Amino acid sequence: MDTQVVLSEIQMRRLALHRLGNKSRDEGMKVASKLLPLPQAEQKEQLQDFFLSSFKFEEFYQFNHASELEMNEIFSYCKAIFAQANAETFYEQSVLMLQQLYNCSNHPKIKGGEFYLVYFEDILVNDELVEAIGIFKTENKEQFLKLRLDEEEDWTFYFEEGVDLKKMDKGCLVFNIEAESGFRVASVDLKSSEAKYWRDEFLQITQLQDELFYTQTYLKMCKDFGKQQFEAEEKQEQVAFLNKSLEYFETQDSFDAEEFVEQIFEDNEEKKEQFNSYKQQYQEKVGLEDVEEEPFFIATPAVKKAARSFKRVIQLDSQMEIKVQSAQAQEEGLLQKGFDEEKGMYYYKLYFNEEK
């Protein structure tokens, strides 16, 4: 089931702001003495938009720990806030989170910045009103030109450094649901290499194994299988497999592993065996739960994204390439490969009705 998040009625109730530097350079922390007063209506709306506009709510995560969930510090701090969301508890947990983030900021490339902890109410998640904790860090500053007209109507200008309100460097929203399995978490900036410390060391979150995760994982598995198992074969066969795989995900509502294998490989028993063996190894490698007994629904956004990364191009050494966008073209014999004895070169023959 997809997670639907609606923010139209969201309300910011508490806000803590601290600052921290890089621990490896011993830059220290600046801890505020109290919570930050909430701004007036218009500024409050702008600030909420700054915190929330970067979230896509496509991928979801949960807190995790190698030994025991309760040993995940950020999970425990969030749990304490949800249990008793008064100002004193919120402030205390914000300082503990700041200290934890500082302890994780020990790589020379990690930038210092501002740390925000925000308490939100009235978020609609799958038709249920829930609270959420926002954890944010801003690092990158922009230079802004400011103009001023003095009493003699002469212009002067100067520069100020500030945070771009359209860009949140790092952040996550922890929704007060599914606490027993590590809450449900949405996050920003998980893909950049520099944010690894934020995801793996500070938050310690892993992607939720839902329909989107399964779809992404199986598409990646097909892509890797096509790259590795067809490497010694005709490039045309590799492209045909990738096209068939992608078309299955584009045309089916749910994924069934047995049906997929039969539809893609038909009577090729050798390839079926190779794929099933590769799938088992891949599942173990990524820690994928066995979902074959109960087919999962295919997440369309993951398929559209994967379509852009599937390399369905036959590259030639004669400064040409052939892009094959459909397995049907190959099945109907519209693309044929041969060898020219006179030239001593391979060739492809293409059939079409008209140029576009």
Side-chain angles (χ1 to χ4, degrees), residues 136-171:
F136 307 97
K137 184 188 177 190
T138 52
E139 299 172 338
N140 297 303
K141 303 295 188 295
E142 303 287 342
Q143 288 284 340
F144 297 96
L145 172 64
K146 303 202 74 172
L147 301 173
R148 182 168 54 203
L149 192 62
D150 60 25
E151 294 179 356
E152 298 180 359
E153 296 190 353
D154 290 328
W155 285 105
T156 59
F157 65 88
Y158 58 97
F159 293 93
E160 281 191 1
E161 188 178 67
V163 176
D164 187 349
L165 289 178
K166 296 180 180 179
K167 187 188 299 182
M168 173 57 68
D169 293 314
K170 294 173 178 62

Side-chain angles (χ1 to χ4, degrees), residues 3 58-66 68-76 78 82 135 171-188 190 198-211 213-214 286-289:
T3 301
E58 294 175 350
E59 296 180 358
F60 287 88
Y61 301 79
Q62 57 192 16
F63 290 112
N64 208 337
H65 194 276
E68 185 180 346
L69 181 58
E70 296 291 336
M71 294 180 67
N72 182 311
E73 290 87 352
I74 306 305
F75 167 77
S76 297
C78 288
F82 285 133
I135 307 172
C172 77
L173 279 176
V174 182
F175 300 103
N176 190 16
I177 54 175
E178 302 176 11
E180 67 283 351
S181 58
F183 293 117
R184 185 156 295 203
V185 181
S187 196
V188 175
L190 288 187
W198 174 267
R199 174 194 62 205
D200 297 340
E201 297 176 32
F202 172 58
L203 295 175
Q204 297 182 73
I205 54 176
T206 53
Q207 189 173 350
L208 191 69
Q209 292 198 7
D210 56 6
E211 287 84 1
F213 174 82
Y214 288 134
V286 300
L288 187 67
E289 297 174 3

Side-chain angles (χ1 to χ4, degrees), residues 227-245:
K227 182 179 180 180
Q228 295 181 25
Q229 300 300 316
F230 288 87
E231 189 173 7
E233 302 180 30
E234 295 284 348
K235 190 72 174 180
Q236 189 176 355
E237 295 300 319
Q238 182 189 69
V239 172
F241 167 75
L242 292 175
N243 272 322
K244 282 184 177 182
S245 299

